Amino acid sequence: MPNDFDYDVKDQDVMAFILKASKLKQGIELNLRGVSCHVTWPQDETGPLILHCTLQRNSKGFYKASREWEDNVRAKLEAFTSKLISERITVVTEIWNQFKAKIGEVTQDKDPERLTIITKESDSSCIIVGEENLVSESHKLLEDMIRT
């Protein structure tokens, strides 16, 4: 039987996004079930996912499946996490309030399960996290606002 293993999502902002996006978590869990895996989620974004093998010893093809199990699980997780990115933008404090208003415009019609923007008042910055295409689009809109 394959051993459980830990999987680290390298980008802590992406991990925090996953932990808050319940539909995304459910999608990951469902896909992992398809490769005989159960996931234990960490308490916060600094911890790893703990992946447990649920293969049945008496099932057909057990030995082959058990040899390929960890690679299959890693491939499924990579397929999900490779589509998620984070970007940071820092602005001068003089335009912070205008910038926050623009963030509201950018996110108003976006699904929070696909994109979120976290503001950091302390250093006048924000972190854009989510699906790569939406993050890139939002990053461009916000950068354009800063330049004007």
Side-chain angles (χ1 to χ4, degrees):
M1 186 73 124
N3 292 323
D4 297 346
F5 70 96
D6 293 354
Y7 182 86
D8 288 308
V9 175
K10 302 295 183 230
D11 186 329
Q12 287 186 356
D13 295 320
V14 168
M15 187 66 214
F17 175 74
I18 292 170
L19 291 173
K20 290 179 182 161
S22 60
K23 290 178 190 171
L24 181 60
K25 279 175 60 175
Q26 289 172 351
I28 292 170
E29 290 169 353
L30 184 62
N31 270 284
L32 291 177
R33 254 185 256 138
V35 290
S36 301
C37 180
H38 171 76
V39 62
T40 299
W41 297 97
Q43 295 299 313
D44 64 30
E45 65 274 3
T46 62
L49 303 176
I50 302 171
L51 302 155
H52 311 276
C53 180
T54 60
L55 286 169
Q56 299 298 316
R57 283 192 188 277
N58 58 353
S59 63
K60 183 177 180 180
F62 169 77
Y63 292 106
K64 182 177 188 245
S66 66
R67 283 192 306 272
E68 298 170 352
W69 179 77
E70 186 172 336
D71 290 338
N72 290 339
V73 170
R74 285 186 186 281
K76 289 283 187 184
L77 284 169
E78 285 299 319
F80 266 96
T81 59
S82 67
K83 296 174 187 166
L84 303 172
I85 63 168
S86 70
E87 295 281 346
R88 177 184 281 274
I89 298 176
T90 304
V91 300
V92 293
T93 38
E94 290 79 22
I95 65 165
W96 179 243
N97 288 332
Q98 294 167 293
F99 185 73
K100 286 193 314 185
K102 184 68 173 179
I103 288 172
E105 290 173 28
V106 168
T107 59
Q108 75 183 10
D109 62 343
K110 301 288 191 284
D111 180 352
E113 294 272 336
R114 298 179 63 209
L115 175 83
T116 193
I117 300 178
I118 304 155
T119 58
K120 305 271 185 171
E121 296 272 345
S122 61
D123 63 354
S124 301
S125 70
C126 74
I127 300 170
I128 310 165
V129 189
E131 294 176 8
E132 185 173 10
N133 60 328
L134 295 175
V135 170
S136 297
E137 174 187 308
S138 300
H139 187 267
K140 183 181 178 336
L141 289 170
L142 292 171
E143 285 286 340
D144 288 349
M145 180 264 165
I146 292 170
R147 286 191 201 106
T148 58

